[in-house]
Amino acid sequence: MTAQARGRRRVIQGVVVSDKMDKTRVVKITRLVKHPLYKKYIKRSRKFMMHDENNETRVGDVVKMMETRPLSRWKRWRLLEIVERAK
């Protein structure tokens, strides 16, 4: 794969909420969305499955993950870096 194609892949940041599976983590992404009528910001969150080859992340870690080819039925993301370790 060329460097150009890798540059188009999305990179998102989230918090690990589950590390019970082998080489798989569940990451929660939270974003603020403005309500169309009331103009108030609302928290919206979504969970993604992420591939973690060396099982190096734990619950509470803030991670960056990159979009990748389908690795299983639900996994479409892989670990890029650990931004902050859980305390």
Side-chain angles (χ1 to χ4, degrees):
M1 180 172 281
T2 64
Q4 248 183 352
R6 280 196 184 276
R8 284 195 307 265
R9 291 182 178 184
R10 290 188 298 163
V11 174
I12 55 176
Q13 187 170 311
V15 180
V16 177
V17 291
S18 173
D19 62 355
K20 292 183 182 351
M21 297 167 278
D22 185 35
K23 297 186 179 183
T24 302
R25 301 293 181 255
V26 179
V27 178
K28 189 175 186 177
I29 308 298
T30 307
R31 62 193 181 97
L32 289 174
V33 180
K34 196 177 208 177
H35 191 281
L37 178 62
Y38 300 115
K39 310 301 182 210
K40 184 177 178 178
Y41 283 95
I42 308 162
K43 273 188 186 177
R44 292 283 182 226
S45 60
R46 187 168 168 200
K47 291 180 189 174
F48 295 95
M49 296 275 197
M50 174 189 76
H51 184 68
D52 181 6
E53 184 63 38
N54 302 320
N55 289 320
E56 54 192 350
T57 56
R58 295 286 168 252
V59 172
D61 288 353
V62 178
V63 295
K64 270 189 184 175
M65 55 188 190
M66 179 191 278
E67 199 172 26
T68 187
R69 66 182 174 82
L71 299 169
S72 72
R73 182 178 174 190
W74 303 114
K75 282 202 294 191
R76 304 296 191 261
W77 299 85
R78 65 179 173 85
L79 178 65
L80 198 59
E81 68 171 307
I82 300 169
V83 177
E84 185 183 330
R85 290 276 183 190
K87 292 173 177 74

